[in-house]
């Protein structure tokens, strides 16, 4: 199989926020796209010139052979859509799952599809809303042949080598990794690497967040604190009388410091808009990869306390659980007669 | 100096919940007590036969020489009270701090008082509201001579050897440790050991609390969960369809299991009253020792991830900080266009 | 089905350390046991009067109907043994898995066996080497009918109500939970509760361990520490000059303190033998339940930072991974020119 | 006081790795430097044209008035050097501490020096060995007047606005923060912000390290694992059969991904040299700021589980403590008869 003929096209299922931006970027590169989405409103997100249909038959008929169908869907419905697709596919066709599937689902699906001669690639995609402009970082698992056939699509999506200064010693023609896409190994490898990528992301985000929170609270010594037996008073108020310029600090660290990063760029941007981040309440969602990363680490016996702790911080922020805390309060009451500070009935007596 | 003459007495400053119970237990043993508390209402907590005064002069005059004055006060006011007391004290008198002072304060105070020939003992006291009946576990730091002089008081407060089955191999006359009080070393050693005791307590409490919380949520598979891109749906609902009998489980584990403990006894008691612990909201206070334990561990380079994590769980429960979470939400919005699930204005659009 | 006829017996497969002790305890209660173990040497662990065979046919033929077969095997081989057993079983027979199976395996097995009318109970057993004498704490999942049929066996194994002081308010006939065994719910519930039990156990153990480690290192201020740019020197050596009596402290806390527990009893016993625990190197194994507990918590979105942290501490102790540390060292070298303190080649220049 | 006269110079004490590079960068900008270092060999690190002396008198005499003396020393000896310097200083002179002092020491020192009219600035410096070329990120605390006087020096050391793309919305003349230096507030504020910077750095580094460690171990399913009661076997070996190309992954993530950062650039560089990082053993030092960050967080009641966990991971890597693990092994032996896998005597029987 040769590398994808540039005249050929790619079918795309799911053009939500991510999918639509990817379609736009691919089509800019000269590869044609055919789009299927059940939601007619999704058409508004893609250029008029791109064929869009809400009818699966139409979609399939518009695809040249062998069919290359890229799914950009919530992980929870990928299996359903593959089941719908399967009757239309034949030997040599390919499904690419660009969503956030669990890598073990990739292994299972690839095995199931292999029986019918259908290829399956799992592609982890990073880049978020910036990807259309910056390019997407792509982590790919599956058959190497099929990867090579689709390489032009990956190259079109990826940022290219200019996205960062080249590493010292890397010369000559940039490798795929330097262009921003990489064949990682057999099925599941793409989403495995993307999963760990997101696990790291959780850790990085929590590290910045905790640091800025300390800076924010460095003014506590300016408050008056009450002394009672239930609250640990600030022991050294004289040490915590700083009103630190968070907006400027987030900007400062972007240059010359060890902790400069793209995430820090975003913090500086957000704090430039609103230093106190008043538009956010602090309920931090999590979407699967962070959980799977910790589970993989536990399976492997690899200690990842920072990544798991970052995940749990999100759980805490979601406040789905107060029972654990209630158990502790109950014990404190039982052994020490301690009253909670604020009871449901409006304060202790 | 000989062991305390049984006819002699002890002066007591501070008869709140803990102090009053200790005075009652001491006085039951035949050692007389003289009590000083600025709060006249505190007198209600102690037997009528015990001399009580709100006047410092009266208190001092009631004490036999050398004066033995036990402070049972919030850590934050101990220095103030010592300063008030100092003019009334002379060479050979003794202050015993039975509160929750930081051990470094003990070191400082002992050095300051030593210049005037005044003894200082730091005594960590565990036992809570049950101590009056069960006896108090006492951890003592300071001069060994002075410890020995006061040993009858410690013995009166402590549970005695009958409080637990003797360890195999321990025979003959029970040691002080077996009786429930222990000379731990120079000044600060008593509160240091008590500090670590409480640090461990935080860890134990959190371990039970987290475990019961898992049990409580094992019924999540019975719910319907929504599928969207922001929430990780329960991936295997079929595995989490248990309505577990928490009250019975807390009772069950008290016998024969590896995790039986006094804290578990309390959980079983509380769950017997109310299986859902509905009287508690889950705001878990912390009172100094837990913080100091982690700081000591950091000073010493000893990793104590469980103890510190337990402390941080209390911080989370106090919800004093949402800024860290807001920083994370801001990043998520910036890179992925993610909306928070519930905004301050009542939900996302 | 009536409660088990006392004249009937139970078949036992696997009489290693745990299994043999359980057989001895059951048979003491008057219930007869028939034992099958492939390892002839295992016979030495059980009384001569108990029928023992290394032949599966003999074992099966010795069982009265309906057959009750208790497996006490490593989790990894339970499925294999069930497959071997299945041809010999018929409608109404029962398999009891008393090992440490994952609760999801219980759900699967129970469903598979149900097709052939074979009952399956999952029983979590706590008690370790002390169970034979103290009694075992039993957590049971499966059909309630079958649980009731086997209740005499559970009662024989359990500690009975005398194992702990009754909870205030619990009067009249002790409940099963008070006797030390409990029907927890449908299949998997028994091992689920046991799993969380062990997860808590990991947390409790780590809490004590960390606390004693702080106490142990409280003498660091007595050392001379070097000052260089790579090591954080002890900043306040004057605060850490205690040689604390660990053996006595472990004994002390057993009486009157909030943290008294059976695990602490064991620590006191071990430190009585050897205060420095010199017989141990500190490589702490983990055996499944601790991992599964954290995975269940992650599945459920319940933050369990203490339990997972305790698990990771065991991973760290196993030192299976140094790659994470090498990555950090590489970064430190790259940005700061920092040399590792001890390199493979014998120290920095 | 006007901004520093460009003809004036700065005195520099301590030209180790960091200090020498800073002197070179400052002197390139046209500000003259005078250097004092007790170690004659240090002279080799700075240009010949820069005055260097090992004699304190000579150094002082070479400084123009008011004297501006920048210390670049290990935190542990700053107080000693200030004591040596003090007799030579007079009203209006300034000491700048550019090392890694604890911010509370800054507060103390500034107060002490103020009595003699001597200014004190605390300057946190980030940039490591790359700073000479990239510029240093500077966080400054103390009198604003004095900060302004020295601004030319800070500007010379800082990277300048070209070090990163400007944040959207920031236009006109770049602010100091955009140039890479910032006045953070009263004394201590500079080192406080630098401290938190390093705390964040620990968290970021650990997040990457843990992620790469998972990737590294994703091949565990290719091994044969033994089944015994003490080790949790890999439950799903079929899921972990990847040999992932770590070197390429570290390169890949530099472009287009959410986790691109300068630290990741370094990892890519190090893995380009040696994918397995064979030159490192994984003993990760810590140098004060990470500890102080966690202590500040605890003081303030701000939960920073990720930052503290990262710190503790370093403690674990230093393996200074095995006692905690020994306590756990002792308990496991006591309740379960568990043997450690590898004992000091060469393995269990």
């Amino acid at each position: 199989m040769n590398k994808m003929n540039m005249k050929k096209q790619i079918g795309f299922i799911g053009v939500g926020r991510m999918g639509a931006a990817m379609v736009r970027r691919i089509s800019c590169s000269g590869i044609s796209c055919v789009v299927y989405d059940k939601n007619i409103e999704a058409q508004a997100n893609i250029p008029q010139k791109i064929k869009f249909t809400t009818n699966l038959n139409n979609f399939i008929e518009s695809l040249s052979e062998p069919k290359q169908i890229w799914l950009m869907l919530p992980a929870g419905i990928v299996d359903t859509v593959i089941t719908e697709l399967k009757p239309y596919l034949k030997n040599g066709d390919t499904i690419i799952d660009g969503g956030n599937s669990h890598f073990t689902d990739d292994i299972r699906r690839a095995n199931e599809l292999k029986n019918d001669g259908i290829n399956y690639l799992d592609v982890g995609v990073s880049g978020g809303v910036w990807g259309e402009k910056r390019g997407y970082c792509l982590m790919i698992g599956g058959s190497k042949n099929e990867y090579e056939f689709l390489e032009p699509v990956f190259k079109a999506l990826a940022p290219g080598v200019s996205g960062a200064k080249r590493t010292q010693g890397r010369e000559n023609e940039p490798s795929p990794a330097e262009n921003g896409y990489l064949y990682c190994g057999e099925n599941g490898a793409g989403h495995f690497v993307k999963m760990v990528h997101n696990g790291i992301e959780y850790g990085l985000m929590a590290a910045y967040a905790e640091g800025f929170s300390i800076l924010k609270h460095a003014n506590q010594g300016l408050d008056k604190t009450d002394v009672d037996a239930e609250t640990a008073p600030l022991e050294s108020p004289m040490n915590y009388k700083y009103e630190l310029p968070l907006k400027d600090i987030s900007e400062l660290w972007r240059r010359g410091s060890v902790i400069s990063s793209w995430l820090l760029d975003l913090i500086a941007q957000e704090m430039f808009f609103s230093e106190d981040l008043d538009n956010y309440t602090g309920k931090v969602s999590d979407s699967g990869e962070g959980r799977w990363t910790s589970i993989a680490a536990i399976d492997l016996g690899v200690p990842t306390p920072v990544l798991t702790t970052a995940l749990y911080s999100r759980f805490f922020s979601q406040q789905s659980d107060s029972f654990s805390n209630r158990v502790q309060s109950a014990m404190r009451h039982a052994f020490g007669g301690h009253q909670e500070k604020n009871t449901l009935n409006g304060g202790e007596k």
Side-chain angles (χ1 to χ4, degrees), chain A:
Chain A
M1 192 161 25
N2 294 326
K3 288 210 180 186
M4 195 186 198
N5 183 329
M6 280 305 183
K7 287 179 186 156
K8 294 246 181 78
Q9 26 83 299
I10 188 152
F12 226 87
I13 300 185
V15 283
R17 201 165 44 199
M18 275 291 269
M22 291 170 73
V23 163
R24 292 192 298 265
R25 187 170 171 100
I26 293 173
S27 65
C28 283
S29 77
I31 298 171
S32 85
C33 295
V34 180
V35 169
Y36 165 65
D37 197 307
K38 283 180 173 161
N39 177 9
I40 182 69
E41 294 177 15
Q43 185 165 17
N45 301 326
I46 56 169
Q48 280 198 313
K49 65 171 181 176
I50 294 179
K51 181 175 171 63
F52 176 95
T53 176
T54 60
N55 179 291
L56 185 53
N57 269 313
N58 285 357
F59 174 68
I60 296 291
E61 283 165 12
S62 307
L63 297 177
S64 53
E65 302 288 340
K67 294 187 279 294
Q68 311 293 321
I69 301 177
W70 188 299
L71 310 183
M72 210 64 207
L73 300 164
I77 65 168
V78 169
D79 278 316
T80 307
V81 171
I82 290 179
T83 303
E84 285 172 20
L85 271 181
K86 225 169 154 183
Y88 299 94
L89 302 183
K90 62 183 182 190
N91 193 31
D93 289 345
T94 299
I95 290 174
I96 305 108
D97 179 9
N100 286 324
S101 289
H102 195 181
F103 73 98
T104 58
D105 288 326
D106 295 318
I107 297 173
R108 174 181 51 76
R109 284 177 201 142
N111 283 334
E112 289 166 3
L113 292 167
K114 192 181 289 174
N115 295 331
D116 297 313
I118 301 167
N119 301 305
Y120 178 88
L121 289 185
D122 52 280
V123 182
V125 179
S126 180
V129 294
W130 297 78
E132 185 178 357
K133 195 174 158 201
R134 280 212 314 170
Y136 298 92
C137 179
L138 304 176
M139 296 144 260
I140 304 151
S143 137
K144 187 142 195 190
N145 268 349
E146 188 54 28
Y147 153 76
E148 287 172 352
F149 181 73
L150 280 161
E151 197 171 345
V153 177
F154 301 138
K155 202 160 188 171
L157 284 166
V161 69
S162 64
K165 206 180 151 210
R166 293 190 78 180
T167 296
Q168 188 189 336
R170 285 194 181 260
E171 290 161 11
N172 307 324
E173 184 67 18
S175 68
E178 288 185 277
N179 277 309
Y181 63 96
L182 181 67
Y183 175 73
C184 297
E186 294 301 308
N187 271 119
H191 278 140
F192 189 93
V193 174
K194 173 56 164 43
M195 172 190 82
V196 173
H197 168 281
N198 282 33
I200 293 172
E201 178 190 308
Y202 282 31
L204 302 180
M205 288 172 68
Y208 285 115
E210 293 179 4
F212 277 102
S213 191
I214 297 173
L215 297 178
K216 178 83 172 173
H217 288 85
N219 66 354
Q220 263 182 33
L222 302 169
D223 297 340
K224 278 186 68 86
T225 47
D226 299 331
V227 175
D228 65 40
E230 295 300 305
T231 301
L234 187 58
E235 291 187 53
S236 310
M238 75 294 267
N239 290 335
Y240 299 106
K241 292 179 181 285
Y242 303 117
E243 296 282 7
L244 296 171
L246 267 62
K247 180 175 68 178
D248 287 335
I249 291 169
S250 65
E251 187 64 44
L252 174 74
W253 287 342
R254 297 181 62 226
R255 292 176 184 86
S257 108
V258 170
I259 65 172
S260 61
S261 72
W262 191 66
L263 285 167
L264 182 63
D265 294 348
L266 301 182
I267 296 173
Q269 183 71 72
E270 291 278 331
M271 287 193 173
F272 183 75
F273 293 145
S274 161
E275 186 158 15
D276 283 338
L277 306 174
D278 285 330
N279 293 328
Y280 303 97
T281 57
K283 191 177 162 102
V284 190
S285 295
D286 75 285
S287 54
E289 292 94 341
R291 298 183 180 201
W292 301 328
T293 301
S294 287
I295 290 173
I298 293 171
D299 279 350
L300 294 167
V302 173
T304 57
V306 159
L307 305 191
T308 306
T309 297
L311 174 69
Y312 287 161
S313 288
R314 294 191 174 204
F315 290 174
F316 279 120
S317 85
Q318 297 164 14
Q319 299 175 352
S320 54
D321 172 45
S322 69
F323 193 72
S324 167
N325 296 330
R326 291 214 301 276
V327 173
Q328 296 203 57
S329 286
M331 278 187 268
R332 295 187 80 241
H333 180 259
F335 69 69
H338 300 283
Q339 300 295 330
E340 286 185 318
K341 272 319 192 57
N342 297 311
T343 70
L344 285 170
N345 299 323
E348 71 186 302
K349 301 303 178 312

